[in-house]
């Protein structure tokens, strides 16, 4: 993404109906100064995100009823993250999360009264009962399960055609991350795993996950699919995978790329 058309080293991540606004007539830049002043008239909320790549970033939400200027295009966040360079992933995902937090915590969940934003923070406070409301992060696990040169790939009914992913799910209250991995694998495909290793993590703002990636080895059992969660799951060799994850920047893709590279290297060295 280029910064040439934006003045004062400011970037604005502006959302309307959960879509991020881009300039239509350029190479997908964020809204430039000449349209920004007009858009600002219709902001429902705005927050300073902080400094990213030496540029001060802000996020805002624009009234869903407002007709956008012709040179502005609203793009779903998932596609927007593919468009923005990886350098802007953190700023864009934070922008989305902050807007959702602010929108969803206008009222206190305990006493029902209106909350107030505490200036300079990402905190909304209920002055009636004292409850503080922060942006929520939901830890989720994703695991690449290996058996020699094969891995388990699976499809949920809501996946786009020809896309496959890895076993994943939310961490439940009361359990450790490791327990969550073993439980999800057992629930979704009915097998046991061993040698669980942490791989890395990724913020995944759909809507508020923090994905914790793992690799594991097959231990025992036959694949038995939970058809409430999955429509397909099976073992696939590294050079004959059935499809890719729906997002090229997902940690699922990184886990798979890492496994395939390892296999190619060991084949080469054989
Ligand atoms: Zn309250």
């Amino acid at each position: 993404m280029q910064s040439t058309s934006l003045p004062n080293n400011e970037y604005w991540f502006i959302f309307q109906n959960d879509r991020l606004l881009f300039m239509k007539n350029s190479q997908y830049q964020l809204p430039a100064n000449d349209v920004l002043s007009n858009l600002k008239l219709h902001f429902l909320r705005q927050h300073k995100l902080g400094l990213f790549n030496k540029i001060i970033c802000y996020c805002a939400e624009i009234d869903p009823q407002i007709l956008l200027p012709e040179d502005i295009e609203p793009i779903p966040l998932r596609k927007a993250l593919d468009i923005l360079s990886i350098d802007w992933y953190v700023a864009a995902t934070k922008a989305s999360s902050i807007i959702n937090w602010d929108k969803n915590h206008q009222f206190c969940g305990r006493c029902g009264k209106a909350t107030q934003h505490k200036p300079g923070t990402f905190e909304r406070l209920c002055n009636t009962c004292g409850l503080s409301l922060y942006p929520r992060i939901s830890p989720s696990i994703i695991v690449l399960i290996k058996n020699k040169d094969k891995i388990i790939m699976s499809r949920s009914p809501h996946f786009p055609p020809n896309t496959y992913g890895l076993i994943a799910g939310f961490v439940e209250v009361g359990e450790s991350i490791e327990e969550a991995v073993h439980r999800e694998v057992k629930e979704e495909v009915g097998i046991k795993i061993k040698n669980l290793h942490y791989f890395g993590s990724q913020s995944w703002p759909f809507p508020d996950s923090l994905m914790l990636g793992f690799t594991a080895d097959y231990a025992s059992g036959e694949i038995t699919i939970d058809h409430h969660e999955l429509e397909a799951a099976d073992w696939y060799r590294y050079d004959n995978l059935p499809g890719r994850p729906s997002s090229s920047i997902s940690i699922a893709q990184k886990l798979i790329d890492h496994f395939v590279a390892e296999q190619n290297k060991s084949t080469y060295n054989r």
Side-chain angles (χ1 to χ4, degrees):
M1 190 171 65
Q2 294 167 8
S3 60
T4 45
S5 72
L6 280 161
N8 307 327
N9 273 355
E10 281 184 8
Y11 270 7
W12 281 84
F13 294 85
I14 305 170
F15 293 85
Q16 187 187 44
N17 296 317
D18 296 327
R19 290 171 176 234
L20 188 57
L21 305 192
F22 286 91
M23 302 298 294
K24 204 186 273 182
N25 59 353
S26 65
Q27 298 156 332
Y28 289 109
Q29 292 171 318
L30 295 173
N33 198 39
D34 49 341
V35 289
L36 206 49
S37 48
N38 181 36
L39 294 176
K40 279 182 179 174
L41 299 173
H42 308 291
F43 280 180
L44 296 177
R45 62 196 88 252
Q46 68 178 74
H47 289 277
K48 187 176 179 177
L49 288 174
L51 205 60
F52 291 87
N53 305 315
K54 298 182 181 165
I55 292 173
I56 301 167
C57 292
Y58 297 84
C59 61
E61 185 183 32
I62 196 165
D63 189 333
Q65 309 296 332
I66 293 297
L67 208 59
L68 295 170
E70 274 189 4
D71 52 354
I72 290 286
E73 184 177 349
I75 294 181
L77 182 61
R78 198 178 278 255
K79 193 177 165 202
L81 290 175
D82 281 331
I83 289 169
L84 292 164
S85 81
I86 195 73
D87 293 346
W88 292 99
Y89 184 88
V90 177
T93 56
K94 185 172 180 179
S96 163
S97 300
I98 294 300
I99 290 299
N100 280 324
W101 154 76
D102 193 30
K103 185 162 54 176
N104 296 338
H105 294 92
Q106 293 289 304
F107 294 92
C108 177
R110 186 158 65 189
C111 77
K113 296 288 191 308
T115 61
Q116 274 79 43
H117 175 233
K118 212 168 154 183
T121 69
F122 297 124
E123 177 183 356
R124 293 195 67 89
L125 183 66
C126 174
N127 286 323
T128 306
C129 77
L131 188 67
S132 282
L133 302 159
Y134 298 96
R136 192 174 71 177
I137 300 169
S138 301
S140 310
I141 60 84
I142 182 160
V143 56
L144 179 138
I145 305 164
K146 299 180 280 186
N147 191 0
K148 299 188 180 93
D149 59 358
K150 291 180 178 170
I151 58 170
I152 291 181
M153 292 195 77
S154 61
R155 262 188 68 77
S156 288
H158 61 84
F159 278 14
N162 304 318
T163 57
Y164 276 75
L166 304 173
I167 301 302
F170 287 105
V171 178
E172 292 184 352
V173 283
E175 68 184 356
S176 71
I177 290 163
E178 293 83 354
E179 285 163 348
V181 180
H182 289 283
R183 175 185 52 75
E184 280 290 341
V185 171
K186 188 80 183 122
E187 279 176 10
E188 292 197 7
V189 288
I191 64 164
K192 287 193 172 170
I193 53 171
K194 60 185 180 183
N195 303 332
L196 192 61
H197 286 289
Y198 178 65
F199 178 81
S201 68
Q202 180 182 40
S203 165
W204 193 245
F206 305 102
D208 53 25
S209 292
L210 174 64
M211 300 298 295
L212 302 149
F214 291 85
T215 61
D217 290 322
Y218 167 77
S220 63
E222 291 289 322
I223 289 184
T224 314
I225 298 171
D226 172 7
H227 285 283
H228 295 292
E229 297 273 342
L230 301 176
E231 64 177 29
D234 213 338
W235 292 104
Y236 295 96
R237 233 178 84 127
Y238 73 97
D239 54 359
N240 190 30
L241 300 179
R244 300 174 73 84
S246 57
S247 171
S248 62
I249 55 170
S250 64
I251 193 167
Q253 188 63 57
K254 284 196 194 105
L255 277 158
I256 293 162
D257 288 346
H258 183 258
F259 173 74
V260 170
E262 259 184 352
Q263 291 298 312
N264 280 329
K265 205 161 79 183
S266 68
T267 310
Y268 183 76
N269 290 336
R270 242 173 246 153

